[in-house]
Amino acid sequence: ELADTGLATSDEAEQRLNLPHLGNIPLLKSVDDTADAPADHLLKRPLSAFAEAFRGLRTSVSYSRLGDPATVIGVTSSLPGEGKTVTAVCMARSYAIQGLSTVLVDSDVRRRSVGRLLGLEPEVGLVEVLSGATSLDQALLTDPGSDLRLLLLSKGSFTPKDLFGSRQMDALILDLRSRFDIVIFDTAPILPVADTRLLAPKLDTMVFLTRWRKTPGKAAEAALRFLRAADAHVAGVALSQVDMKQQARFGYGDAAYYYNDYKKYYAA
């Protein structure tokens, strides 16, 4: 524990990062004995503890701006590998299955993670829409598992141009806002590239992830300095890939500490 530099509880996250704690996103195998992929599990078992975590996250984000509901939301982290894309997909599917018209935009142009996760490889996508090579209607896809709409990245879509600070991106965000109840952007991690620092101020709010007990606190602090310098609104911090069984053993005072007392409340 002395050598552990990551954040483990809601209190640690709030005190160190000076942000509200939005919720804990469980490591799926710690709450359910299943072979499902996390994004599929949310659809198959909408009353499970895993699905409930995303409903809780949605509620926290919705009320993060007093008097001004957050409907255009970015999901980000300081480093790769913190569960950002899985969180974005699950959040978006959670909104969609509740009957809200929702679109998920893959804006990590170097990784194209949403398409890879869902097994989709479109011919056109975000970059082609921004460049004017195709229309938004032609680029939008429908999620195979729900009514969620998707604006992905095509295989050859990487470009060195500044897409996210452009007027075309401003216009696209306005268009998406007018068409959908909820717009979610899966963004690049903050520290490796500047893309998210340009995009974040254009969105209503950002969900900032730190991987439970893994993400170095100093990395999270550095990433948040970039977001604050860009004048981005950050809803708060969510701990991702939380092993609920381990957390219940040592996270005294954290909601997850009581997981063994309330886990039977959820449907299998």
Side-chain angles (χ1 to χ4, degrees):
E1 289 185 5
L2 290 172
D4 190 352
T5 60
L7 304 173
T9 68
S10 57
D11 284 347
E12 287 179 6
E14 291 184 336
Q15 291 172 13
R16 180 150 189 180
L17 302 181
N18 194 28
L19 283 174
H21 174 248
L22 299 174
N24 293 330
I25 300 168
L27 188 67
L28 179 55
K29 66 181 181 181
S30 74
V31 294
D32 206 318
D33 183 16
T34 177
D36 293 340
D40 294 333
H41 186 79
L42 182 137
L43 296 177
K44 293 178 181 179
R45 299 186 181 180
L47 298 180
S48 64
F50 186 75
E52 180 62 29
F54 289 96
R55 282 192 288 273
L57 180 60
R58 282 172 31 203
T59 301
S60 297
V61 173
S62 295
Y63 292 103
S64 64
R65 297 183 66 108
L66 294 177
D68 187 14
T71 59
V72 182
I73 303 159
V75 179
T76 196
S77 61
S78 51
L79 299 166
E82 298 187 69
K84 176 179 57 61
T85 298
V86 170
T87 298
V89 171
C90 288
M91 272 190 72
R93 281 182 163 177
S94 181
Y95 278 114
I97 63 178
Q98 292 300 311
L100 294 171
S101 62
T102 307
V103 62
L104 173 61
V105 183
D106 188 348
S107 54
D108 187 348
V109 295
R110 290 163 178 79
R111 302 293 291 271
R112 298 184 291 115
S113 300
V114 175
R116 294 177 189 275
L117 180 67
L118 298 178
L120 300 172
E121 194 168 283
E123 294 295 323
V124 295
L126 174 64
V127 172
E128 290 77 19
V129 172
L130 293 174
S131 68
T134 193
S135 69
L136 177 58
D137 287 320
Q138 290 173 317
L140 284 171
L141 303 176
T142 300
D143 174 27
S146 70
D147 292 330
L148 172 67
R149 302 306 302 278
L150 303 166
L151 180 56
L152 304 180
L153 290 156
S154 61
K155 187 174 182 179
S157 62
F158 177 74
T159 172
K161 294 180 181 178
D162 172 14
L163 297 175
F164 301 105
S166 66
R167 286 177 295 177
Q168 290 86 349
M169 177 58 80
D170 295 342
L172 175 61
I173 292 172
L174 284 174
D175 194 2
L176 293 172
R177 189 189 292 274
S178 70
R179 293 182 184 220
F180 296 95
D181 297 325
I182 300 292
V183 182
I184 295 181
F185 282 81
D186 177 36
T187 71
I190 300 291
L191 295 182
V193 293
D195 293 351
T196 303
R197 304 174 217 169
L198 297 169
L199 177 61
K202 303 174 185 290
L203 311 184
D204 292 344
T205 196
M206 299 295 293
V207 174
F208 186 75
L209 298 182
T210 65
R211 185 175 174 183
W212 179 73
R213 298 184 67 190
K214 295 291 184 181
T215 305
K218 290 188 179 298
E221 290 169 337
L224 286 169
R225 283 196 295 270
F226 279 126
L227 285 177
R228 287 164 178 152
D231 201 26
H233 182 273
V234 182
V237 58
L239 300 180
S240 64
Q241 302 181 51
V242 177
D243 187 319
M244 299 294 282
K245 295 175 182 177
Q246 288 190 32
Q247 182 74 333
R249 288 201 292 266
F250 79 90
Y252 181 74
D254 192 83
Y257 177 77
Y258 303 100
Y259 174 69
N260 287 328
D261 295 318
Y262 63 70
K263 65 181 180 181
K264 292 181 180 179
Y265 187 79
Y266 304 110

